[in-house]
């Protein structure tokens, strides 16, 4: 007697658990994180005074316009991977879309962990306020432990992760509100707006400094699109994705303005500028609280900042672990990254690999990490998507678009101009690094295409 045929096991699939509240919480937790708490001294140092706040305004204009790009693409093509899917579709799946998608994944393997690592570095900086005398080996050990805890918390089902995300978000809001309320009740305009002589001398040096300040501001806003990376896990994505991006961007813009004014209205900016000459700039918010309430309260508040920093890296690793998964599912990356956990339905290989690389990247300096991650993303991801949206509007006018960009194509063009400005005002060495990374990626793409006999070498080129 022949054995009965066993039906194939059902393929694990991602579950749509994220609604508007949890999606907005994910974006905001990612955006706020430790960024504004560690970059205010760097921002002020870029232009040598409070006029550097213009950098946050420039960054906000770029982010709002770019957020509309993400909103239209994310609502029209909700799925894990975000930019990977958008670039591939916009530039053609069998031709240049293959190249753009490949280059995105290539640069992301570096830039994604760099962004997560910046949160680990910030965590260690604020921990040094409590753990005085923290040595370099101690910093490396702390970054490693925090990174491992982050991986462990994400190694679970998405429904419990949504609950953890909201909990971390609440802690983040408590932290920033404490700073804003404290600053508002102790605000001194003469301290906040103590501009140095020639603060608004619009020279080449001013615009280079404005570019540096804008780059820091953009780093602080990064994450407004994080929900797009987990599109397969979002309920009603055509509605939730655009609204979560809009709400989180507007809310965080107000929060950043409040945090910035609160700190420079209490702590004179000359006490922490230039940042490299003042060690206390590593934990400026703790110094801010210590000036008003003393060491005890400052210590408690530092713990809240550490909570916020951890919430940020949690949200980042959650979203970013879905990108190699989506690429592998589509045949653009190693197949092993496309595996879902057999019982908990999440891309566990991708999570473990990106988590490990992030820990190693956390051993470098914050300035190096920020500059490298911004520059490596601009050319392919941010500029590529803005241009890709325009291509899709022309080539696929009938594509279902639950959300359409307001005032199209003006926001896309403004975003493109903003990214060009930020890229052009970056240090030459960093630009060379970013271009070199993409050049190596292009060579790797050619080798991969030659080996697989696909475009631009194989049969697919002729058939497409």
């Amino acid at each position: 007697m022949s054995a009965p045929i066993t039906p194939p096991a059902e393929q694990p699939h991602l579950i749509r658990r994220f609604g508007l509240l949890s999606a907005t919480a994910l974006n905001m937790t990612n955006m706020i994180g430790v960024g504004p708490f560690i970059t205010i001294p760097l921002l002020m140092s870029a232009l040598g005074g409070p006029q550097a706040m213009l950098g946050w305004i420039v960054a906000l204009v770029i982010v709002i316009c770019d957020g509309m790009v993400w909103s239209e693409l994310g609502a029209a093509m909700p799925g894990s991977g975000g930019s990977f899917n958008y670039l591939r579709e916009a530039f053609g799946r069998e031709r240049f879309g293959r190249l753009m998608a490949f280059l995105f994944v290539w640069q992301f393997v570096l830039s994604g962990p760099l962004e997560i690592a910046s949160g680990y570095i910030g965590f260690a900086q604020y921990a040094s306020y409590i753990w005085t005398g923290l040595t370099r080996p101690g910093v490396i050990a702390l970054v490693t432990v925090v990174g491992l805890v982050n991986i462990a918390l994400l190694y679970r089902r998405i429904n419990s992760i949504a609950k953890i995300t909201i909990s971390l978000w609440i802690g983040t809001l408590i932290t920033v509100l404490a700073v804003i309320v404290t600053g508002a009740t102790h605000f001194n305009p003469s301290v906040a707006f103590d501009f140095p002589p020639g603060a608004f001398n619009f020279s080449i040096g001013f615009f280079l400094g404005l570019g540096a300040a804008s780059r820091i501001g953009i780093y602080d806003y990064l994450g407004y699109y994080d929900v797009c990376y987990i599109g397969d896990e979002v309920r009603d994505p055509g509605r939730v994705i655009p609204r979560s991006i809009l709400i989180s961007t507007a809310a965080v813009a107000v929060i950043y303005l409040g945090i910035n004014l609160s700190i420079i209205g209490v702590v004179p900016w000359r006490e922490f500028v230039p940042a490299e000459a003042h060690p206390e700039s590593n934990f400026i918010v703790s110094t801010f609280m210590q000036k008003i309430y003393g060491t005890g309260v400052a210590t408690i508040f530092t713990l809240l900042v550490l909570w916020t920093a951890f919430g940020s890296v949690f949200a980042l690793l959650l979203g970013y672990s879905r990108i190699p998964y989506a690429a592998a599912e589509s045949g653009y990356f190693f197949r092993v990254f496309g595996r879902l956990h057999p019982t908990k339905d999440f891309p566990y290989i991708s999570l473990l690999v990106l988590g490990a690389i992030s820990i190693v990247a956390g051993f470098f300096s914050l300035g190096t990490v920020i500059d490298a991650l911004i520059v490596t993303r601009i050319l392919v991801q941010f500029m590529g998507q803005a241009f890709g949206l325009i291509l899709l509007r022309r080539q696929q006018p009938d594509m279902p678009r639950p959300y359409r960009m307001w005032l199209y194509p003006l926001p896309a063009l403004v975003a493109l101009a903003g990214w060009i400005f930020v890229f052009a005002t970056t240090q030459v060495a960093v630009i060379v690094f970013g271009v070199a990374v993409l050049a190596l990626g292009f060579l790797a793409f050619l080798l991969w295409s030659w080996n697989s006999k696909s475009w631009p070498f194989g049969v697919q080129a002729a058939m497409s």
Side-chain angles (χ1 to χ4, degrees):
M1 181 186 299
S2 61
I5 299 176
T6 303
E10 184 178 352
Q11 176 69 20
H13 61 280
L14 298 174
I15 302 172
R16 296 190 180 275
R17 300 284 189 182
F18 273 69
L20 181 59
L21 177 62
S22 52
T24 303
L26 176 68
N27 289 343
M28 288 184 65
T29 302
N30 188 347
M31 293 173 73
I32 299 174
V34 75
F37 301 138
I38 61 176
T39 58
I40 288 176
L42 294 177
L43 185 82
M44 294 296 169
S45 298
L47 279 173
Q51 69 273 20
M53 288 178 61
L54 288 172
W56 257 334
I57 297 175
V58 172
L60 178 61
V61 172
I62 296 173
V63 164
I64 289 176
C65 293
D66 195 57
M68 294 185 191
V69 173
W70 282 89
S71 294
E72 179 165 324
L73 295 174
M77 294 174 281
S80 296
S83 298
F84 172 81
N85 293 324
Y86 312 153
L87 293 169
R88 185 180 57 174
E89 189 68 27
F91 290 91
R93 286 175 172 263
E94 299 301 335
R95 289 183 178 268
F96 287 101
R98 295 183 71 252
L99 171 62
M100 294 296 288
F102 183 93
L103 288 178
F104 166 71
V105 178
W106 175 272
Q107 63 83 26
F108 179 81
V109 170
L110 174 65
S111 67
L114 282 173
E115 188 176 351
I116 299 170
S118 69
Y120 294 153
I121 295 169
F123 188 99
Q125 286 184 353
Y126 269 86
S128 66
Y129 179 81
I130 300 174
W131 186 357
T132 57
L134 184 62
T135 62
R136 182 62 184 166
V139 169
I140 293 176
L142 182 58
V143 165
T144 302
V145 170
V146 173
L148 291 175
V149 170
N150 194 22
I151 295 172
L153 284 177
L154 284 167
Y155 203 85
R156 62 190 67 240
R157 287 184 180 275
I158 192 68
N159 56 345
S160 59
I161 288 177
K163 296 175 183 176
I164 294 173
T165 299
I166 293 176
S167 300
L168 292 171
W169 178 50
I170 292 172
T172 298
L173 292 180
I174 292 173
T175 305
V176 299
L177 287 175
V179 173
I180 293 173
V181 171
T182 300
T185 55
H186 297 82
F187 183 75
N188 186 340
S190 62
V191 174
F193 303 111
D194 178 22
F195 294 103
F200 297 98
N201 181 15
F202 299 113
S203 61
I204 294 179
F206 176 86
F207 286 104
L208 289 175
L210 181 61
S214 302
R215 194 161 56 250
I216 295 168
I218 288 170
Y219 162 76
D220 287 334
Y221 282 116
L222 287 180
Y224 54 93
Y225 46 74
D226 202 47
V227 66
C228 293
Y229 290 129
I230 59 169
D232 282 329
E233 298 160 87
V234 177
R235 295 197 304 266
D236 191 10
R239 170 180 172 272
V240 169
I241 288 177
R243 292 189 180 189
S244 65
I245 291 175
L246 175 63
I247 293 171
S248 57
T249 301
V252 169
V254 174
I255 288 171
Y256 279 174
L257 179 62
I259 292 175
N260 189 81
L261 290 176
S262 295
I263 292 176
I264 67 173
V266 173
V267 182
W269 62 268
R270 288 181 174 83
E271 293 186 6
F272 55 84
V273 172
E276 61 272 13
H278 297 83
E280 61 274 15
S281 66
N282 287 335
F283 39 78
I284 186 63
V285 180
S286 300
T287 302
F288 162 80
M289 284 294 182
Q290 182 176 316
K291 270 185 173 289
I292 299 173
Y293 299 118
T295 304
V297 172
T299 299
I300 295 174
F301 189 80
T302 300
L303 294 174
L304 288 175
V305 174
L306 295 178
W307 175 281
T308 301
F310 186 79
S312 174
V313 297
F314 178 89
L316 282 169
L317 187 54
L318 167 61
Y320 289 178
S321 64
R322 271 56 180 174
I323 295 174
Y325 161 77
E329 280 281 283
S330 303
Y332 281 76
F333 209 53
F334 299 110
R335 291 182 180 179
V336 67
F337 285 85
R339 293 181 183 174
L340 289 177
H341 193 280
T343 60
K344 299 179 180 180
D345 301 333
F346 70 94
Y348 68 106
I349 297 295
S350 181
L351 172 68
L352 292 174
V353 172
L354 263 66
I357 296 175
S358 300
I359 292 173
V360 175
F363 302 160
F364 295 91
S365 69
L366 180 64
T368 299
V369 165
I370 291 177
D371 285 347
L373 78 90
I374 294 296
V375 169
T376 52
R377 287 189 183 180
I378 285 179
L379 293 177
V380 173
Q381 184 176 19
F382 294 135
M383 292 180 64
Q385 284 186 177
F387 186 64
L389 182 142
I390 297 174
L391 286 178
L392 280 173
R393 282 284 191 113
R394 293 182 177 181
Q395 297 173 358
Q396 301 186 40
D398 297 328
M399 171 185 283
R401 292 177 171 87
Y403 167 85
R404 286 179 172 268
M405 174 185 289
W406 303 334
L407 303 177
Y408 173 84
L410 183 60
L413 297 177
V414 171
L416 278 171
W419 293 126
I420 292 172
F421 169 71
V422 171
F423 186 83
T425 54
T426 304
Q427 293 181 1
V428 175
V430 180
I431 292 177
V432 170
F433 170 78
V435 172
V437 168
L438 292 181
L440 288 174
F442 181 71
L443 292 176
F445 171 80
L446 292 178
L447 291 174
W448 175 61
S449 297
W450 177 268
N451 185 61
S452 60
K453 303 301 180 185
S454 56
W455 184 86
F457 300 109
V459 178
Q460 293 182 11
M463 294 176 59
S464 58

